[in-house]
Amino acid sequence: MREPIVPVGPGAAPDLAELARVVARQRAEMDRLREQAATSAVVERAKGVVMALSGCSADAAGETLLQRAKAARRTLLEECWITLGELAPARSGEPSAEPPARPAGETGDATAGLPRTGPPPVSSAPDDVAAALSRLARVLVRTGTPQELARCLLEHLGQDLAADSVMIYARRADGGLELLGHAGIDERLAARWRQVPPFDGVAALAALESGEPLWLEDFGQDSTRYLLIGDPPGRWRSRVWLPLPGEEGPGICVGVLRERSGPFTPRDRAHLRGAVRLCTGRLRTFTAPSEPAADPLPDAVRALFAALPVPAMLLTPLRGPSGGTEDFRVDAVTAQAADVLGGTGGDPAGRRLREVRPDLAGTPVWRGCLDTLAGGGTYESEPFAHQEVVNGATELTTYSVRVTRLEDALVVTWGRHASSDRQEQRLADLQRLGNLGWANWNLTTSEASWSSQVFAVLGRDPADGPVRLAGLPALAVPEDRSALSHAVDALIHEGLPLDAPFRVRGTRGVRHLRLAAEAVADLHGTPVEVHGFVQDLTARRRAELALVETERAIVTQHDVLQAERSLVARLQNALLPLPDRVVDLAGLRVEVAYLPAQAGIHVGGDWFSAIELPDGDALFVVGDVAGHGIGAVATMAQLRFTAKGMVITGSSLTGALARLNTLLLHSGDSHGTATMVLARYRPAERRLVWAQAGHTPPLLLRDGEATYLRRPSGILLGGTTTPRFEEAECRLEPGDRILLYTDGLVERPPENIDVGLGRLAEAAAAHPGDAAGSLGALLEAMLEDERRDDVCVLDIRVPKER
């Protein structure tokens, strides 16, 4: 209350002491009002936190705070500060209600009295984060759906954390995810990611499995580990998936996506954890099972299901958080249906269908129930086998299921197929799989009966009816009618079995059919009935004809290739004669080996040349033309004779290679590339000058050590219009050995050619023999497997001094 101010009469001196007391009382009143306002704000913020965590009303939240304060012997303000996690005092100039010092041994927790599901939402958070979370808590209690909650989160986090999108997922019963709410993404993308299968690499599932937030802050690395949401995924460069804390209720994960890249700061992480913690109560309220109460069934319904002589049951759908049907409740069931359901035992009435028969989920019957409930009409399943116990013995019985909608429920009935039905079904399956149909002709009454498959095989309209047996040949093509007519006459008059192929022409073209039939005779041996089948053999006949044509083509092609190989081999032998002994050239001993490929029937384009030049020098050439066959041999001959002619007439080795390159480029031949090595030996100086065009280097053996000569520049012939070739030289010593060879000696696909070169060096060092025929030992060591390419080798030796 305020004290009245006593007026001072005219001329009276004011009582200064009384005025001071009045001012002091007014200041005390102002301080009390400020404290009351600050206290009220703290209480309201604490109530908002409790409401968000538990989903209760404002009055219930206030009552919860009072009860906890009384139980802990604290004031209401102390309890509110503890609920808010010991927020820092307000800044200077703002109303404040200082939090009290916490008693020793106590810990503040906004969830005291609630399930313990994780760290306090605001504990150890900066004061601005705590204030933001308090504002969020007061807004969350007004959200009524997961979609509203997602929009609320985005409005809150978009301002404080630069969040661009929010997605909320719940785990389905099959382990996948279902989108409950979203904000900041368009409906097309939301529809695409509404149902997420339980695949590996889904970030939200990984967060739910670990129970910890999954921070995705490096888009380049994260995109290789996870299947990222987005169209394109690079729209959001950083994101986090935060599972709701605790083990109770369905697994729910909140995703916050940002278009900017970079890590989340410690303040951001504390803010996000607190925000998701505040959403726990509301989300669990939204996702609580909405199973409708089982109203008592009318007596008439119970009496009806008790009297029904067939397996039947009444199902009520149970909706999930998103409104979709998750399960069905069995409200009524006949005794026969209980036997068919089997399951976990006991009376199925009142229980969930997936509890009774977990294996039904995902089956065609389950999908039929969902379709019928969605307005798809009555569902009838295909017949299926079911194992049941009849009179103590296990039998396989065939059933089919019919599902009919009854207002908001489903009536499911099972139809049991008799043995005759099963036999008819098996016969129909046999005709369909064998593409045949049965037929019966009564020769006495001239009546005929066909199965539906016979009409399909013959391409005849069932409305036209079956054809008499004597008229069946008229359906065949003219070329087959006579033979089929004689066979049918012998069947009808003599009772001889019939098995005849014939062809018919229809809308699907000419088809190949088979008629097999036999007659049934009376006591006198006269045929009175004929039964048999008609089978469509078109596919098999076409395959047989295609196989015959293919075999003919293969034989013809093989003969052509063999003739070509023989011609090429003769041509190659004429163009490339092999010496039958060691040749002496310019004081060198030269041995030649040429081995054609063993795989395939084509002849390759490997070649060699070893001649003595007019000035007494020796020329050695080894080359390999790309390809096989006549074209390769022709190119080989052209290069072999041209190279020799050029060097004999004075061309340098590099000049000869350059001209040969031009020759290949302008020859118009499809075998337009080749590799080559040319070497000129000057005996007076024992000097070997050589050049190469994309060829493997010569191998030098000296004093038991194998070394490859360093290759000068040179590209394969026919590869470019501006080639560059260089020469190299090597001085030979008595006892030296030089090997020139084609790649068939060292290549073994798919290994690297360097491996083959190393193998050749080792083999040459291990077989250094000087006697004639030593080259053969080297080839045997190198060519253990089947040769896939031609091999050509020049073995050049410098005799030892005597």
Side-chain angles (χ1 to χ4, degrees), residues 28 53-54 58 63 89 107 118 169 198 201 311 465 476 499 510 622 662 714 768 780:
L53 289 174
S54 62
E63 183 65 23
T107 57
Y169 275 105
D499 192 341
V510 175
V622 169
T662 303
E780 289 180 2

Side-chain angles (χ1 to χ4, degrees), residues 567-584:
L567 173 63
V568 171
R570 290 197 301 270
L571 178 61
Q572 188 180 52
N573 291 333
L575 298 174
L576 195 65
L578 289 175
D580 54 3
R581 57 184 177 82
V582 176
V583 179
D584 292 326

Side-chain angles (χ1 to χ4, degrees), residues 91-148:
R91 294 179 179 82
S92 176
E94 295 182 359
S96 170
E98 285 274 337
R102 185 177 310 283
E106 292 189 4
T107 57
D109 192 344
T111 61
L114 299 173
R116 305 286 295 188
T117 57
V122 204
S123 179
S124 69
D127 57 340
D128 60 333
V129 172
L133 292 177
S134 179
R135 291 194 301 271
L136 175 62
R138 296 172 65 83
V139 178
L140 283 177
V141 297
R142 294 195 292 271
T143 59
T145 64
Q147 190 69 16
E148 293 178 2

